[in-house]
Amino acid sequence: MLETALKGRQGYWGLLIFLLALMGVGFVSYLYQFSEGLRITGMSRDVSWGFYIGQLTYFVGIAAGGVMVVLPCYLHDYKAFGRITILGEFLAVASVVMCGLFVIVDLGNLPRMLNIMIYPNPTSILFWDMIVLNVYMLLNIIIGWNVLSAERKGVHYQKWVKVLIYISIPWAFSIHTVTAFLYAGIPGRHYWLTAIMAARFLSSAFASGPALLILLCLIVRKVSNFDPGKEQIRTLGGIVAYAFILNMFFLLLELFTAFYSQIPGHMHSFDYLFGLEGHGSVLAPWMWASIGFAVVALVLLIVPATRRREDTLAVGCAAVIASTWIDKGFGLVIGGFIPNPFGRVFEYWPTTPEVLISVGVWATGFFILTVLYKIVISVKEEVGA
Amino acid sequence: MYDGGKIITGLIIGIGLLMAPFFYNAGKAAKAPEPELTAKAKEAKQCVMEKAYMTSSHFSLLDDWRNTVVRDGERYYTAKSGKVFYKSLQMTCLDCHSNKSKFCDQCHDYVGVDPYCWDCHIEPKEKK
Amino acid sequence: MGLDRREFLKVAGLAGLLGLGGKAAIDMFAPGELEASMETIPLTEGKRWAMVIDVHKIDETIIKKCVEACHREHNVPDLASKKEEIKWIWKEDYEHSFPERHHEYVGEDVEHGSFLLLCNHCSNPPCCRVCPTKATWQREDGIVMMDQHRCIGCRFCMAACPFGARSFNWGDPRRVLEDEKLKELNPGYPTNQDYPTRSKGVVEKCTFCAERLAKGQLPACVEAANTVKKDALVFGDLDEPDSNVRAVLRNHYTIRRKPELGTNPNVFYIV
């Protein structure tokens, strides 16, 4: 099947070359970081994780979100999704690759990375996160590839693939739960120390993952003869709506606990993130933008008329992605570090090389996604789906 | 075989390119450098272990030392001769072998290894 | 640790005689007043090391001496940057040492008093729990140790430490030797030829001077403080009922930083 990725129109090659160029820029920036150290980033003694770890967290969510097409299809026998499960699975593969790369670029001492396996520490959540993420990627590659090649040959995929599919469903929940545990079990970082962290992560994942999938489906329809389907997109829209409402509901729960209890530690990070405490915050405009996008998304997704129209649904999905990206890819990690353990505010903002390296990682992810989707499209066109 | 000729030509060119460094460097092998001993090292006669072991496996010993010192807090090493050594690259090894460039680097360069010991551990100041 | 006191003295003595590095071991044979207080608990065999800092006894001079002694001993550079700051022990005011205890009517001497902060060597350390490679771990004597050979620089421990005790080498600390401005700030760096520096990309922090304890010496800060005022900093074994730290804790009201988090810090403050 791989050969189908080698035949494409000009636009396809143009996109790949463009992504390759961005990857090159990212790689050169990384070489600079590798020789100078992480001091070229905006991270500091006080804010010791930043954009990279935020992006890791966000893309674990996108990866987990893919399960929202697999689960209805296989557990509820919702046949319509059978047409697009492969898109969810391959999106998960590309996302996990990005997660891995974001961890790699964040390490201070990359050559020693294998120490995680040579001297594993089972009490470290990072160790478990590495395991669940890698297994999830493998599951999705194997399942996606087998199901797709069976479809191409016009036969039913083998039974053992079905077993893997059933495993992959709870596994998707596990990757984002374990990722939430990176944060939720740390004493002294009040913003993270919340029992609903995993629930918040999952709700935002199940909103942002399918939202991105809807946009990708619309693009696929536009550039190819394969139509993911009107019904499929409409059902996904409903899933995004429910999940995003839950996500905002969970945020309100956090705000209630913090501000009704009036416990300073619980309020401080929110105060800082939304610029409520006098000392200005570089993040405040972003966090308010996140709220703004959320309001737009809620309106467009809740009103049935706008949810069912594909153009307004697309705007709603873009707003979901923007809102959750700021909240989780940015605010979540940084908010946990501010104020610092001494109650002081030391701010963080990513540097240009840091952003360029991140662009390189995104480009790598989208390169992989483009190639995988090209294969899917070629097969689907071939079998006349 | 389709395109058999092309494949074989390609293989020959590929293998040729892979082998190029060997042909290029053939017959130019440099002589392996011999680590130089300082007067102090010569006088001591016996290192922590016998010479053959130190030549071939000093890094295993150093690895063991750093692990047992840092992780187990065992800071003394009793040699076969009964002599007790303070396990320290910086304070013990290089106290004798204070000529790092001639004792360590020369050979490391020759075999193309670049141990990161000196990123942290302080080299002795050598008299030029 | 593996050696008992008698065995240690034998080895240290032998090493001393042979001139094999155990230079400082000789100090054990001529204990000053300070070491005399430690007579009952050899520094090489603690079960749970702890430090008591008497805030009434320390002043700016002592604090400065402690910080300098530690940072010179361990080649901790001044990088002239808040962002990349590396510190093992440092001065802090009351409000920021104990943010949850502070209130606006707190007495002047406390409000303006200076505290000395360092790694708490918690009995239940979250940093060790989260480290994916056991590069930071708890020794049998309670010291929360760092293995700079193993650290991969993920900085999970920095996120997990509620006390801000950990610093990261964002760049190569040895750039101090090349940069003119930094060179001026760090005369003689690396100041201790017998102790390594660090490399870029690893985390570092106070180790309760594990390397000095092994030679029968007190931590550098304790030694420095006591040259100015006796018992300003007291170091000893909490596990030993008759130890100096236990006596001090019995006779004074002491507080610890953020005890409510359950990490069980082993640095106490007499306020």
Side-chain angles (χ1 to χ4, degrees):
Chain A
M1 280 193 306
L2 211 49
E3 77 280 1
T4 54
L6 297 176
K7 278 174 249 158
R9 286 198 305 264
Q10 233 174 5
Y12 170 66
W13 290 109
L15 178 61
L16 288 189
I17 288 166
F18 174 67
L19 291 173
L20 269 176
L22 291 181
M23 285 157 74
V25 171
F27 185 70
V28 171
S29 308
Y30 180 71
L31 288 182
Y32 173 54
Q33 179 187 293
F34 188 79
S35 74
E36 282 297 304
L38 285 159
R39 61 190 299 239
I40 62 137
T41 69
M43 289 184 277
S44 59
R45 192 182 194 277
D46 285 334
V47 186
S48 48
W49 279 344
F51 201 61
Y52 297 149
I53 296 294
Q55 291 304 299
L56 152 76
T57 311
Y58 183 74
F59 280 103
V60 174
I62 297 288
V67 80
M68 283 290 107
V69 282
V70 178
L71 188 146
C73 180
Y74 293 99
L75 292 191
H76 298 272
D77 204 25
Y78 180 65
K79 292 261 164 38
F81 271 179
R83 198 175 162 81
I84 56 167
T85 50
I86 185 75
L87 295 180
E89 284 152 358
F90 281 174
L91 175 60
V93 172
S95 303
V96 177
V97 170
M98 284 190 260
C99 295
L101 287 173
F102 274 117
V103 172
I104 284 174
V105 299
D106 188 68
L107 287 183
N109 214 318
L110 181 67
R112 294 187 195 159
M113 189 177 67
L114 289 182
N115 280 2
I116 299 183
M117 277 174 274
I118 303 171
Y119 311 105
N121 183 6
T123 64
S124 173
I125 302 295
L126 198 58
F127 166 71
W128 292 108
D129 207 31
M130 176 204 69
I131 292 180
V132 291
L133 280 174
N134 280 309
V135 171
Y136 188 64
M137 180 169 71
L138 271 180
L139 280 172
N140 277 291
I141 292 175
I142 296 170
I143 294 167
W145 200 260
N146 275 292
V147 171
L148 193 64
S149 35
E151 188 174 341
R152 194 184 193 195
K153 289 176 200 138
V155 295
H156 197 267
Y157 52 81
Q158 283 156 305
K159 272 206 182 109
W160 59 268
V161 178
K162 187 97 178 196
V163 177
L164 292 187
I165 290 170
Y166 284 130
I167 294 173
S168 80
I169 293 170
W171 208 276
F173 287 78
S174 87
I175 61 168
H176 220 25
T177 305
V178 174
T179 305
F181 286 174
L182 288 177
Y183 304 99
I186 290 179
R189 305 273 178 197
H190 293 284
Y191 189 54
W192 296 341
L193 192 70
T194 163
I196 64 164
M197 185 63 94
R200 282 186 71 193
F201 271 27
L202 287 168
S203 64
S204 87
F206 296 156
S208 54
L212 182 56
L213 205 55
I214 289 175
L215 297 184
L216 290 170
C217 284
L218 293 174
I219 294 171
V220 164
R221 180 197 281 161
K222 210 162 191 172
V223 299
S224 78
N225 296 324
F226 169 57
D227 181 4
K230 253 193 149 35
E231 190 198 333
Q232 284 81 350
I233 288 174
R234 180 177 287 198
T235 313
L236 272 179
I239 291 173
V240 175
Y242 274 114
F244 194 66
I245 291 167
L246 255 183
N247 180 50
M248 296 318 288
F249 174 63
F250 286 155
L251 178 64
L252 290 176
L253 296 185
E254 294 276 21
L255 291 172
F256 173 80
T257 301
F259 290 97
Y260 194 80
S261 74
Q262 293 281 306
I263 296 174
H266 289 275
M267 297 190 294
H268 274 159
S269 293
F270 285 109
D271 283 343
Y272 166 74
L273 286 172
F274 289 97
L276 306 176
E277 228 181 28
H279 44 61
S281 146
V282 288
L283 274 178
W286 288 78
M287 293 308 288
W288 282 109
S290 167
I291 298 292
F293 284 125
V295 172
V296 172
L298 284 174
V299 171
L300 291 176
L301 290 171
I302 292 174
V303 177
T306 47
R307 188 177 67 242
R308 287 183 194 140
R309 275 185 55 141
E310 282 185 357
D311 49 354
T312 42
L313 174 67
V315 175
C317 286
V320 165
I321 293 168
S323 174
T324 51
W325 185 84
I326 295 169
D327 177 46
K328 208 156 137 194
F330 222 175
L332 175 96
V333 173
I334 297 152
F337 286 106
I338 302 173
N340 71 8
F342 312 100
R344 286 201 176 88
V345 171
F346 189 87
E347 295 201 276
Y348 161 87
W349 194 250
T351 59
T352 309
E354 198 173 358
V355 172
L356 289 179
I357 291 171
S358 303
V359 167
V361 174
W362 294 328
T364 312
F366 280 97
F367 185 90
I368 293 170
L369 187 75
T370 308
V371 171
L372 289 175
Y373 272 30
K374 171 68 178 59
I375 296 172
V376 172
I377 290 167
S378 304
V379 170
K380 296 275 188 186
E381 284 174 342
E382 202 179 298
V383 300
Chain B
M1 193 159 61
Y2 298 110
D3 295 332
K6 278 185 204 162
I7 290 171
I8 288 165
T9 325
L11 272 175
I12 289 170
I13 293 174
I15 291 170
L17 280 175
L18 275 176
M19 304 290 288
F22 295 100
F23 293 122
Y24 181 73
N25 282 324
K28 286 194 219 161
K31 215 175 135 261
E34 193 52 31
E36 246 172 52
L37 293 180
T38 57
K40 194 171 177 185
K42 271 185 196 146
E43 203 184 311
K45 286 207 175 80
Q46 173 77 8
C47 194
V48 175
M49 295 272 264
E50 57 272 21
K51 190 182 168 198
Y53 176 83
M54 293 311 287
T55 312
S56 65
S57 313
H58 56 279
F59 42 86
S60 309
L61 181 94
L62 287 171
D63 187 45
D64 181 62
W65 276 20
R66 76 168 181 191
N67 281 328
T68 48
V69 167
V70 178
R71 303 200 69 89
D72 310 329
E74 291 162 10
R75 290 176 188 260
Y76 293 93
Y77 177 83
T78 314
K80 274 186 208 137
S81 62
K83 236 188 199 181
V84 175
F85 292 91
Y86 186 69
K87 293 198 268 190
S88 167
L89 172 66
Q90 217 164 307
M91 292 157 75
T92 305
C93 303
L94 288 157
D95 186 44
C96 250
H97 302 292
S98 50
N99 54 338
K100 175 176 167 280
S101 57
K102 291 271 187 261
F103 188 76
C104 312
D105 300 346
Q106 208 174 235
C107 210
H108 287 161
D109 290 345
Y110 176 75
V111 294
V113 293
D114 186 18
Y116 59 78
C117 311
W118 318 107
D119 290 0
C120 299
H121 291 275
I122 298 167
E123 309 176 6
K125 286 197 182 74
E126 288 185 54
K127 287 180 214 100
K128 288 273 154 73
Chain C
M1 309 295 293
L3 295 168
D4 71 11
R5 179 173 163 78
R6 193 175 303 149
E7 206 181 328
F8 164 74
L9 291 175
K10 225 166 65 191
V11 172
L14 189 61
L17 283 177
L18 296 170
L20 292 170
K23 292 171 199 158
I26 299 154
D27 292 359
M28 278 296 284
F29 300 104
E33 202 184 355
L34 179 59
E35 273 80 8
S37 69
M38 304 286 302
E39 198 82 320
T40 48
I41 335 103
L43 285 162
T44 44
E45 344 175 320
K47 290 280 183 296
R48 185 178 163 194
W49 292 121
M51 188 183 287
V52 185
I53 297 172
D54 191 335
V55 178
H56 305 290
K57 286 188 178 159
I58 59 171
D59 54 22
E60 301 292 317
T61 330
I62 295 182
I63 290 176
K64 207 167 159 237
K65 267 194 163 251
C66 291
V67 174
E68 222 174 80
C70 170
H71 288 180
R72 287 185 69 85
E73 173 88 14
H74 302 109
N75 298 324
V76 176
D78 178 356
L79 298 172
S81 153
K82 179 91 182 55
K83 180 170 164 278
E84 294 181 50
E85 188 178 23
I86 296 176
K87 52 189 180 188
W88 288 25
I89 183 169
W90 66 99
K91 184 183 108 169
E92 186 58 274
D93 60 20
Y94 175 73
E95 181 184 349
H96 296 100
S97 300
F98 298 93
E100 59 292 318
R101 282 173 187 268
H102 180 255
H103 60 83
E104 52 189 303
Y105 309 111
V106 72
E108 287 240 332
D109 49 334
V110 175
E111 172 80 43
H112 299 300
S114 291
F115 289 73
L116 201 51
L117 304 188
L118 66 156
C119 171
N120 277 303
H121 294 275
C122 304
S123 290
N124 185 15
C127 52
C128 300
R129 208 179 306 148
V130 302
C131 177
T133 62
K134 296 182 187 158
T136 190
W137 81 103
Q138 194 175 29
R139 304 202 317 182
E140 273 170 36
D141 59 358
I143 291 180
V144 174
M145 193 63 179
M146 262 311 295
D147 184 349
Q148 261 97 14
H149 304 112
R150 192 180 283 188
C151 177
I152 59 171
C154 72
R155 312 190 294 297
F156 205 169
C157 55
M158 294 177 78
C161 176
F163 305 105
R166 291 172 167 272
S167 308
F168 184 67
N169 286 278
W170 297 99
D172 185 352
R174 289 200 182 173
R175 70 177 184 281
V176 164
L177 295 169
E178 271 117 55
D179 186 298
E180 281 308 317
K181 204 179 112 219
L182 290 179
K183 222 175 188 172
E184 220 164 277
L185 268 176
N186 298 277
Y189 174 89
T191 36
N192 182 359
Q193 296 290 322
D194 291 341
Y195 199 82
T197 66
R198 262 69 59 197
S199 57
K200 79 165 183 276
V202 295
V203 172
E204 63 181 89
K205 68 168 196 78
C206 157
T207 63
F208 260 176
C209 280
E211 82 288 355
R212 289 173 58 93
L213 295 179
K215 292 188 278 188
Q217 293 175 310
L218 284 167
C221 57
V222 179
E223 196 181 87
N226 282 279
T227 57
V228 181
K229 197 167 249 171
K230 198 166 170 285
D231 293 338
L233 269 59
V234 180
F235 182 83
D237 189 359
L238 269 190
D239 204 45
E240 185 70 48
D242 305 322
S243 69
N244 52 353
V245 279
R246 285 285 286 273
V248 176
L249 290 179
R250 254 194 307 273
N251 299 327
H252 296 86
Y253 174 67
T254 49
I255 57 173
R256 297 182 292 173
R257 290 170 70 202
K258 305 184 184 178
E260 72 280 5
L261 298 179
T263 68
N264 216 347
N266 284 313
V267 175
F268 299 76
Y269 297 87
I270 302 175
V271 286

